[in-house]
Amino acid sequence: MNKKVEKKQKIYDDKEDIDIRNIAHYKNSSQVLLLFILIVLFGFTLFNSFMYIGKYYLNKNKLNDGIETIEIKNNKSSIFINNEGEFNKKIESLENDEFLIERKSSISIQTNNDIKDTNIVKFDVKYNILENSFSGNSISKEDSDIRVRFAYSFDNENWTYVNNVISTYEGTLSPMTDNYYDIAGVVSTLKVLTNYELSSAPGEIITMYLKSETVIKKAEYNVGNNIKASLRIDYKESV
């Protein structure tokens, strides 16, 4: 008996290929989207990094613009001195009644915790006049064309003015009204504080601020005059 052979027609089902293509397309789209997100995040991070670096160097330059920073470490403490630097003022106009030039310096002492005794630091405060074309007076004048006064503070808000005789390499200067000193024609170093002692207990941080206020009187004959000076703190020793 002959067997009847039926031919089976092979039906091609492309649904599986379509699903595979859809999955591949989805994966490709996801990868493209992920790559795009990564590029955006990288660009954002890079932009912020450049901004941060730019601000860092800008602030650093501002901090170091005319400021001398000194760090001294010993077995007792860490000492930080900030001297704002010299100024050079030339009178070019008569816009103001007076010209005020203010400079600040500071010294900070951080005594180690394991120190048994109080730490004492000695330093000098000087006002160095390098150039001064204002005509000098044979006797100090209350209304001098240029005068200066000095003050110190421990909170940078409440100030105590120096009111003692200040020595220079050539002589001495006596305080006048409102604690001003006549510096017309003076080209020297004013020894504002000498061998000044600042103490701090173990673990204590003490900061002392100092400032100079240089005042120039408004006068037509002062136009063209200049003064170049600086207020600085000079460390001497720790006791």
Side-chain angles (χ1 to χ4, degrees), residues 2-3 73 77 100 107 129 136 142 166-167 188 209 214 237:
N2 294 331
K3 291 184 178 179
K73 288 191 175 183
S77 62
L100 171 62
I107 179 170
I129 305 176
E142 296 285 346
I166 292 178
S167 63
S188 186
Y209 304 89
T214 306
E237 62 177 334

Side-chain angles (χ1 to χ4, degrees), residues 24-120:
H25 177 72
Y26 175 76
K27 287 184 177 180
N28 289 336
S29 300
S30 299
Q31 290 174 349
V32 170
L33 180 61
L34 180 61
L35 179 62
F36 176 75
I37 293 174
L38 290 175
I39 291 174
V40 171
L41 290 176
F42 176 77
F44 181 74
T45 303
L46 188 64
F47 175 77
N48 282 343
S49 298
F50 281 125
M51 288 288 291
Y52 176 79
I53 293 172
K55 288 182 179 179
Y56 169 78
Y57 281 107
L58 180 62
N59 291 333
K60 183 179 179 182
N61 291 334
K62 285 183 178 179
L63 180 65
N64 293 329
D65 183 17
I67 296 179
E68 177 191 44
T69 301
I70 302 171
E71 181 178 359
I72 303 160
K73 288 191 175 183
N74 52 42
N75 58 352
K76 291 184 177 181
S77 62
S78 297
I79 304 162
F80 301 91
I81 297 175
N82 287 316
N83 289 320
E84 193 169 4
E86 69 181 33
F87 65 87
N88 192 352
K89 177 65 176 178
K90 182 177 182 179
I91 307 305
E92 298 178 346
S93 67
L94 297 176
E95 296 177 358
N96 304 309
D97 291 335
E98 287 185 330
F99 299 92
L100 171 62
I101 306 167
E102 183 178 284
R103 283 295 182 271
K104 285 184 180 179
S105 295
S106 65
I107 179 170
S108 181
I109 304 171
Q110 181 175 357
T111 302
N112 299 338
N113 290 317
D114 56 354
I115 300 301
K116 295 181 180 180
D117 300 324
T118 299
N119 181 39
I120 300 175

Side-chain angles (χ1 to χ4, degrees), residues 220-235:
E220 187 174 352
Y221 55 81
N222 280 332
V223 175
N225 287 339
N226 78 292
I227 180 169
K228 184 177 181 180
S230 66
L231 175 72
R232 63 175 294 110
I233 298 170
D234 288 335
Y235 168 80

